[in-house]
Every structure is written in C-alpha cells, then in structure tokens.
C-alpha cells in the first residue's frame, strides 16, 4: 500500500463510521477499542460498539456488542496461567462475543424503568443475565433513588486434556440500591449498597490445589454471599475549569474477605475543546481462609497460588485526553452535526506491591470514538 | 457481623449528613453539573474493561447488580 493511501485510511474510516452513525439516526453511537498486556504475557484485545436510539417518544433502545480475543501463554511454573492443560506448549487463544440489549422508558415525569438482557459466549464459558432497574427522582430531581435487580446463569466449562468439555452451572442473584443527591450547583454525592448471592460451581476449573499430598482441582464452597457499601463525591471547580471526584467502597463476604477501595479522579479543560484526565485507585483486601468457613465443608480448600484469595493490594494510575470534534467543525460548517461528538485516548497501568506477593503489572490502552447527536 | 453493623451505621450517618445539609438546586442552576467534565466515564457500555480488569485480580470487586454477568476471562 502506498504512503498516500495509508494516509487516507484514517479519514476514510472516520467517514464510514460517521456515515453509519448518521444512517442509524441514533442519539449516540460509540466505538471503543482496548488492548491489555501484562507481565505474565497475557494479552486481551477488545472492540466494542454501543448504540442508544430513541424508538418512541419516551422509549430508548440500548445495544452493546463486544468482541474480544484473549491470548494466554504456554503453561509454565512461573505464570501458573489459568488455561486448559491441553496443548500446553502453545499459547491458548480464545474469542468471546457479548451482546447487551435493553430498553429504557420514562413512565412518569420522574420515573424511569429499564430492562436489559446480557449474553456472553466463549469456547469454555457461557453467561446469560437479565437486569431490571427502577429510577425515581424527587424534589425537582435533586434526589434520585435507583433500585436494580439482576439474575445471572453461567455455564462454566472445562476443556480436558482429551479435548472434551465438561460444563458446570452457577447462578447469581444481585441487588443494588443507589441514591444521588445534589448538594449545590457544583457538587453532588452518590452512595449505594450492593448485595450478591453466588451459588454453584465457583471454582476455577483450571486451578489445582494440594490436599493431603495429592494434587486436586481447586474446590471452594458452592455458596457465597457478598455485600458492599460505597460513597462518591463529585465537584466542579469553577476557577480551574475542571472537576474532581472521590469514591470509597467497602466490601465483605461470608468467606471472610474484606476489602477497601479508594478512587480519585481529576478532569480539566486545557482548551474549550480538550479535556485531560488523571486518576489513581488503591485497593486492599484481606485474604480468605476457609478453615473458619461457617459451613464447615471438610473438602473446601483453596490453592495458595490463587492471587484473588490472598492478602493483596493493587494500584491503578491512568491519564487520558478527550477531544470534542467541535474543534474541527468551526471551519467546516458541513461537519457541524459532529459538534457534540468526541475522541478519547486513555492509558492506565495496574500493578501490585511486588515486595509482598507475586509481581503483577499490566498496561491498558483505550481509544474511543463517540458520536452524539 | 460486627463489621457489617459498623458499615451500615457509618453509611446511615453519611446518608443523614448528606441529605440533611444539602440545598435545593434549581434546574436553571445545573449548568456546571451537566458539563461533560463531570461525568466523562458515562459511556453506553454497561461494564468497562477497567472494571473487568479489577475483577480478575480482586476478590472484593464486582458484585451488585447492573453489570454484565461472569465471563471466563475474569478467571
């Protein structure tokens, strides 16, 4: 391909995407691409497409399609990667497809209901979920209460050494309460509580553990209750032309795990069309010890290498920039329909404290193109 | 259980303080609250890859309703 053709490619791609958005007559269309790499040589590439469209006067359709490809390196003692042992000397590559379809409807002036269906499929995992939400505003929408309920049915597959797949079931019931209160013309607070009950095969089928000198497949209890409370404060900074938010979340479960999370975000206009963002998130958890598990399951144990169940702490830092396309519309009136659309690029790094546990570090790159009309 | 009771009490206290001390913001005063800079993450997707990433390493993250169901990549 000649250089001139290569230079024309982004313009052509952008034109096609804008045309698709216009043809769909959507309120909002979003294309997002993610890539993730970590120091265990795991790689994930994701592309997603989302659409919001008003169908009737008070009803909106939401559609989200996501495709991703995960590459897990060959099995070795160092990574202990979670993957089938079959063809263990080759990378394990699998694709996943996901669809979320939902409707939102304004029932009364201050009441909104929504229902979503979620479906995810990959070679050794399938998940389906239904979600219902009721949102009610009070006092001229100064105060909003949102109730959400969700039921999820998963089929957890295990690809065995001979290539056969064994599936086991898992079901999840979740509920959440979220409230939002405006505090002033420049600040609001959000807070909520979540609860979840997991039942079924909750182990990782590809993770093994030691029990009495034998190596056995990981076996954790088949029932788990989880709960969390969180609060978030958001504030606009008039003099700086920016905003900041701070979120704290506390979670605990009946397996004995407790965790704290603190997340600080900062956004600032550097020009009327460009926004830069910075964020820092800190997470810490106590490990799980099933010897004290109240159900007293004598066979329950976990593998010490399961990082998700150990004492751990993680840091997440990110920077990004968002550009509103109105910056380019001023000299091109025919492109004025793009004035609310934007392009964003974000880079984040997620890592742990290497002195306390097995070192982990990963890089996440996100690019997003959002058409809003 | 004592931790849960403490968390619930703290949450109730914060809730009471937040709701008791707030002003009534009129619709015409919400220009800054509606500025895109106040909610840059308000995408259409129900769950961002960031959240999926956290749930692959953190046993206390996730849970609650309103996000996608499980997926094998979270293992």
């Amino acid at each position: 391909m000649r250089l001139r053709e290569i230079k024309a490619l982004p313009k052509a791609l952008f034109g096609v995407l804008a045309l698709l958005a216009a043809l769909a007559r959507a309120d909002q269309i979003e294309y997002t691409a993610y890539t993730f790499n970590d120091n265990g040589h795991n790689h994930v590439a994701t592309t997603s497409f989302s659409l919001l469209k008003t169908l009737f006067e008070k009803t909106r359709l939401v559609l989200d399609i996501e495709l991703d490809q995960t590459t897990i390196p060959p099995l070795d003692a160092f990574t202990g990667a979670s993957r089938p042992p079959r063809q263990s000397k080759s990378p394990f590559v699998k694709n996943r497809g996901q669809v979320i379809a939902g409707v939102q409807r304004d029932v009364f002036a201050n009441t909104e209901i929504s229902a979503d269906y979620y479906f995810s499929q990959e070679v050794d995992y399938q998940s389906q979920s239904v979600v219902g939400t009721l949102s009610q505003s009070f006092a001229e929408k100064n105060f909003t209460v949102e109730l959400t309920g969700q039921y999820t049915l998963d089929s957890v597959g295990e690809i065995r050494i001979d290539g056969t797949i064994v599936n086991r079931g898992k079901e999840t019931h979740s509920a959440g309460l979220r409230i939002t209160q405006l505090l002033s013309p420049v600040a609001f607070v959000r807070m909520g509580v979540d609860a979840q009950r997991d039942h079924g095969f909750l182990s990782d089928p590809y993770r093994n553990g030691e029990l009495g000198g034998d190596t056995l497949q990981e076996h954790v209890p088949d029932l788990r209750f989880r709960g969390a409370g969180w609060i978030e404060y958001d504030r606009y900074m008039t003099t700086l032309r920016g905003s900041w938010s701070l979120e704290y979340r506390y979670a605990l479960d009946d397996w004995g795990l407790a965790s704290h999370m603190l997340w600080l975000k900062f956004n600032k206009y550097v020009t009327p069309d460009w926004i830069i963002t910075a964020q820092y998130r800190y997470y810490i958890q106590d490990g799980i010890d099933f010897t004290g598990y109240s159900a007293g399951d004598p066979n329950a144990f976990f593998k010490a290498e399961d990082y998700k169940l150990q004492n751990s702490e993680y840091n997440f830092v990110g920077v990004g920039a968002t550009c509103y396309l109105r910056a380019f519309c001023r000299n091109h009136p025919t492109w004025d329909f793009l004035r609310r659309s934007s392009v964003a690029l974000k880079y984040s790094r997620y890592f742990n404290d290497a002195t306390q546990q097995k070192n982990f570090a990963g890089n996440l790159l996100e690019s997003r193109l959002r058409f809003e009309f | 259980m004592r931790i849960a009771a403490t968390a619930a009490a703290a949450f109730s206290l914060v809730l009471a303080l937040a709701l008791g001390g707030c002003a009534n913001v009129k619709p015409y005063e919400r220009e800054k609250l509606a500025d895109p800079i106040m909610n840059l993450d308000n995408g259409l997707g129900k769950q961002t890859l960031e959240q999926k990433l956290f749930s692959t390493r953190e046993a206390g993250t996730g849970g609650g309703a309103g996000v996608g169901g499980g997926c094998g990549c979270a293992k």
Side-chain angles (χ1 to χ4, degrees), chain A residues 262-278:
Chain A
L262 198 66
W263 200 343
L264 178 64
K265 296 177 185 171
F266 174 74
N267 307 315
K268 176 169 171 42
Y269 281 104
V270 286
T271 75
D273 305 313
W274 282 86
I275 297 171
I276 54 165
T277 63

Side-chain angles (χ1 to χ4, degrees), chain A residues 34 36 50 64 66 82 96 98 100 116 118 122 125 127 140 142 148 150 154 174 179 181-185 187 191 194 196 202-204 224 226 231 236 238 243 249-251 257 265 267 269 277 279 281 283 285 307-308 314 316 324 346 350 360 364 370, chain B residues 3-4 7 11 14-15 18-19 21-27 29-33 35-75:
Chain A
Y34 300 98
F36 172 76
S50 307
D64 182 79
E66 187 174 306
S82 173
R96 187 179 76 92
Q98 171 191 304
I100 302 173
D116 295 285
Y118 168 98
E122 56 200 285
Y125 207 99
S127 179
E140 293 184 304
N142 273 260
T148 304
Q150 181 171 6
D154 290 0
S174 315
I179 62 170
Q181 171 69 56
L182 305 188
L183 299 175
S184 76
M191 58 188 83
D194 298 324
Q196 180 166 313
L202 306 183
S203 305
D204 182 332
R224 185 181 184 189
R226 308 162 73 182
I231 183 165
Y236 186 93
T238 307
S243 71
R249 186 174 188 270
Y250 175 73
L257 182 133
K265 296 177 185 171
N267 307 315
Y269 281 104
T277 63
Q279 58 178 319
R281 179 183 183 276
Y283 171 89
Q285 73 176 34
Y307 45 76
K308 277 185 82 169
Y314 288 96
F316 179 80
Y324 282 87
K346 277 185 6 185
Y350 184 49
F360 167 79
L364 180 65
R370 179 183 293 172
Chain B
I3 295 172
F11 182 76
V14 171
L15 181 67
L19 302 186
C22 54
N24 186 26
V25 183
K26 298 293 180 190
E29 295 177 313
R30 296 176 192 169
E31 182 188 355
K32 292 186 170 62
L33 294 173
D35 192 299
I37 205 168
M38 290 293 282
N39 204 353
L40 284 180
D41 295 329
N42 189 22
L44 290 172
K46 294 287 178 185
Q47 188 182 24
T48 67
L49 194 67
E50 277 175 10
Q51 291 164 311
K52 282 184 186 171
L53 176 60
F54 299 148
S55 66
T56 63
R57 307 292 303 192
E58 302 169 358
T61 296
V67 297
C71 77
C73 59
K75 292 287 184 184

Side-chain angles (χ1 to χ4, degrees), chain A residues 292-308:
Chain A
Y293 183 58
S294 57
D297 181 349
N299 296 315
F301 69 97
F302 69 96
K303 191 185 178 192
E305 286 78 8
D306 185 354
Y307 45 76
K308 277 185 82 169

Side-chain angles (χ1 to χ4, degrees), chain A residues 37-92:
Chain A
N37 291 285
D38 68 18
N39 61 341
H41 306 291
N42 296 293
H43 175 76
V44 182
T46 300
T47 304
S48 78
F49 165 86
S50 307
L51 176 145
L52 175 70
K53 181 177 171 63
T54 302
L55 291 179
F56 308 107
E57 191 180 342
K58 295 176 179 175
T59 306
R60 292 169 296 281
L61 168 75
V62 178
L63 182 67
D64 182 79
I65 297 171
E66 187 174 306
L67 301 169
D68 55 35
Q69 185 173 74
T70 304
T71 306
I72 305 170
L75 276 177
D76 62 58
F78 174 70
T79 62
S82 173
R83 51 156 288 174
R86 191 166 186 261
Q87 298 172 337
S88 62
K89 294 190 188 319
S90 306
F92 177 58

Side-chain angles (χ1 to χ4, degrees), chain A residues 138-323:
Chain A
F138 302 91
E140 293 184 304
K141 298 191 176 179
N142 273 260
F143 178 65
T144 303
V145 180
E146 195 174 284
L147 277 168
T148 304
Q150 181 171 6
Y151 174 73
T152 304
L153 189 61
D154 290 0
S155 174
V156 185
E158 177 192 356
I159 302 174
R160 295 200 160 159
I161 198 84
D162 60 2
T164 57
I165 301 178
V166 176
N167 292 303
R168 301 174 180 90
K170 180 177 91 170
E171 62 176 357
T172 304
H173 298 82
S174 315
L177 167 69
R178 181 167 100 154
I179 62 170
T180 305
Q181 171 69 56
L182 305 188
L183 299 175
S184 76
V186 293
F188 65 86
V189 64
R190 280 197 186 115
M191 58 188 83
V193 287
D194 298 324
Q196 180 166 313
R197 174 188 181 271
D198 300 301
H199 182 239
F201 186 75
L202 306 183
S203 305
D204 182 332
Y206 302 126
R207 190 170 281 127
N208 296 320
E210 299 290 331
L211 187 66
D214 298 324
T215 300
L216 300 171
Q217 190 178 57
E218 178 186 86
H219 178 207
V220 298
D222 60 4
L223 189 62
R224 185 181 184 189
F225 289 98
R226 308 162 73 182
W230 57 272
I231 183 165
E232 176 188 337
Y233 177 80
D234 291 66
R235 186 172 186 89
Y236 186 93
M237 297 178 292
T238 307
T239 49
L240 276 179
R241 290 217 71 203
S243 71
W244 63 272
S245 76
L246 183 64
E247 180 184 352
Y248 169 75
R249 186 174 188 270
Y250 175 73
L252 74 169
D253 67 23
D254 68 343
W255 282 6
L257 182 133
S259 69
H260 302 268
M261 188 278 289
L262 198 66
W263 200 343
L264 178 64
K265 296 177 185 171
F266 174 74
N267 307 315
K268 176 169 171 42
Y269 281 104
V270 286
T271 75
D273 305 313
W274 282 86
I275 297 171
I276 54 165
T277 63
Q279 58 178 319
Y280 173 71
R281 179 183 183 276
Y282 177 73
Y283 171 89
I284 186 167
Q285 73 176 34
D286 294 334
I288 292 171
D289 181 0
F290 288 122
T291 55
Y293 183 58
S294 57
D297 181 349
N299 296 315
F301 69 97
F302 69 96
K303 191 185 178 192
E305 286 78 8
D306 185 354
Y307 45 76
K308 277 185 82 169
L309 303 180
Q310 294 177 332
N311 290 338
S312 55
E313 56 186 305
Y314 288 96
N315 299 279
F316 179 80
V317 290
V319 290
T322 301
C323 174

